[in-house]
Amino acid sequence: MPTVTCFGAAREVTGSCHLLEAAGVGRFLLDCGMHQGGDAVERVQDETFAFDPASLDAVILSHAHLDHSGLLPRLLHEGFTGPLLCTEATAELLVIMLKDAAGLYLRDLERANLRNRRRGRGEIAPRYTMEDVDAVIRSCQGYAYHQSVALADGASLVFHDAGHILGSAIIEIRCVEAGEPRTLVYSGDLGKTDSVLMRRPATLQHADLVMMESTYGDREHRTEIDTLAEFRGILHDTWARGGNVMIPAFAVGRTQEILFHLGCLYHAGELDDWQVFLDSPMAIAVTETYNNWLRLLDDTDRKALEAADRASLETFLPTLRLTPDTEQSMAINRIKSGAIIIAGSGMCTGGRIRHHIKQRIWDERNTLIFAGFQARGTLGRLLVDGIRKIRLFQDEFVVKAQIETLGGLSAHAGQSELVAWLSAFEGRPATVLVHGEASAQIALAERLQTELGIEAGIPERGEVITF
């Protein structure tokens, strides 16, 4: 019987990594993600693989977010030589994501080693190099949605649109073992049904085992209409206080959604006179990639861009300024009020947003808006949970800025949407919940039992599932 072993995102949200094994078919890794939170160097150095990377036949990637792809360079560094299978758009995004992450990691490692040398300590050897990133990119094989990909004798793979970010996919794998057909469906990260820019997640009908994400398994999201109204209100209130707005945004997905919302407010005459800054070289590059793949986006929202006679997300918002250079980023600090600053990283674990927080978190006129999930152990989670003092760059800052959360801008399906997606399957397929904190998974499992009669498992790290 085929088995899946959960090596990451098991009773936690980040670090997706699952090993599929089937006799006569092969060993396939579903995602190879990095855990989020804490020091970047420590995260990479402390990660370990509980399997031999050289023994894998292929890696199958659901999408480009680092909690699903961030350890791919280390996987190759430790011996993996097979192909990386993903969608075409994901392959393009990986070039940006992995090069940026590697640059940050290697710079942080260099600083850490400088400190170690000054203290007479040994240096830390890198777990991977930029050459490993290049090797990952060369190993990528991109496919279109719905295209059947042969894996081995009697086994095939199909990517379906997950509606989460550009190129995100639900992974469907069919194989035959001992004459018996088996189908695994791995949801990856499922998007909301009413998200802007993204299409609705595809629904499937048959599976012997469904591995479903559960990030928001214990809660619902506001509708896009209500969220946009809330967003508009926050902006107006901050404008009236003479403040600035900081938005820690994930470079892939959330940034582009926020730009679209701001563009809609601008064309409706409801954006006041805000100056908008996209202060993230990676997010700027990713937004250009979105422009290259507009045909994959939601038809209605694409038509809105066309109706405004704008061919890209950047030109849809005429007040937007791109600040790729460090000097341009630092110049934003001179603006006393009226600036909307969109910067990475989305959980405030690194990037330019930490410098903007340093400059403005202590001023009650300002607002910090979170528009996505904040994992445990991250600065973003601490701020959302109400911490009143933080430490940044070896200094302490009091938190006086308004802290707001726009749950409706999440790129993940809420509880009811997860239940509805699973209900489309025929019968009651075996189901396990991954990519979620235990409390969310327990709440979702209880509802699945009550409404669908499905007894969902909640695997621990290292647990083996047979199907």
Side-chain angles (χ1 to χ4, degrees), residues 73-74 77 98 102 105-106 126-135:
R74 183 165 172 184
H77 190 82
L98 295 182
Y105 163 62
L106 294 172
R127 294 295 191 181
Y128 70 86
T129 66
M130 198 63 77
E131 287 73 23
D132 296 311
V133 174
D134 293 335

Side-chain angles (χ1 to χ4, degrees), residues 226-274:
D226 290 342
T227 299
L228 187 57
E230 183 182 9
F231 190 26
R232 183 191 304 115
I234 293 170
L235 294 179
H236 287 341
D237 290 346
T238 308
W239 180 269
R241 293 197 304 269
N244 300 278
V245 170
M246 298 169 285
I247 306 178
F250 299 94
V252 183
R254 204 61 40 78
T255 291
Q256 293 72 37
E257 185 176 357
I258 291 168
L259 292 178
F260 183 81
H261 278 306
L262 290 171
C264 290
L265 291 176
Y266 173 87
H267 289 286
E270 297 177 335
L271 195 56
D272 294 314
D273 289 322
W274 285 103

Side-chain angles (χ1 to χ4, degrees), residues 320-429:
L320 176 65
R321 291 181 56 188
L322 308 179
T323 56
D325 298 333
T326 303
E327 295 77 10
Q328 294 171 314
S329 176
M330 294 174 64
I332 300 173
N333 295 334
R334 296 196 290 269
I335 299 175
K336 301 303 179 185
S337 65
I340 297 175
I341 308 161
I342 305 167
S345 66
M347 297 185 191
C348 305
T349 55
R352 294 181 181 179
I353 193 63
R354 292 168 70 92
H355 294 276
H356 294 298
I357 289 174
K358 171 186 173 181
Q359 294 291 330
R360 305 181 190 277
I361 195 69
W362 41 266
D363 189 336
E364 62 190 8
R365 297 174 301 169
N366 297 326
T367 302
L368 180 62
I369 301 177
F370 288 98
F373 185 83
Q374 304 299 307
R376 288 177 180 170
T378 63
L379 176 59
R381 181 64 169 264
L382 292 173
L383 288 164
V384 167
D385 287 345
I387 193 170
R388 302 314 304 166
K389 289 184 179 180
I390 61 173
R391 287 195 65 83
L392 276 176
F393 308 107
Q394 288 79 52
D395 206 350
E396 186 173 79
F397 299 88
V398 64
V399 178
K400 288 189 176 180
Q402 304 298 308
I403 308 296
E404 302 283 355
T405 300
L406 290 178
L409 289 186
S410 173
H412 291 266
Q415 187 190 68
S416 293
E417 293 170 313
L418 292 169
V419 173
W421 182 79
L422 189 61
S423 71
F425 286 89
E426 299 169 351
R428 297 182 178 86

Side-chain angles (χ1 to χ4, degrees), residues 23-103:
V25 177
R27 292 163 57 87
F28 302 96
L29 197 65
L30 306 179
D31 287 341
C32 189
M34 178 187 298
H35 288 86
Q36 303 294 293
D39 177 82
V41 172
E42 291 178 358
R43 285 201 309 271
V44 175
Q45 299 298 122
D46 292 346
E47 297 274 13
T48 58
F49 296 121
F51 50 86
D52 179 8
S55 71
L56 301 174
D57 293 293
V59 174
I60 304 171
L61 187 63
S62 65
H63 64 287
H65 275 152
L66 292 178
D67 62 325
H68 292 256
S69 70
L71 287 183
L72 286 170
R74 183 165 172 184
L75 190 76
L76 269 72
H77 190 82
E78 297 190 15
F80 174 66
T81 58
L84 168 60
L85 312 178
C86 59
T87 66
E88 297 166 305
T90 293
E92 189 169 327
L93 285 173
L94 276 179
V95 178
I96 302 168
M97 300 290 288
L98 295 182
K99 283 185 177 291
D100 181 85

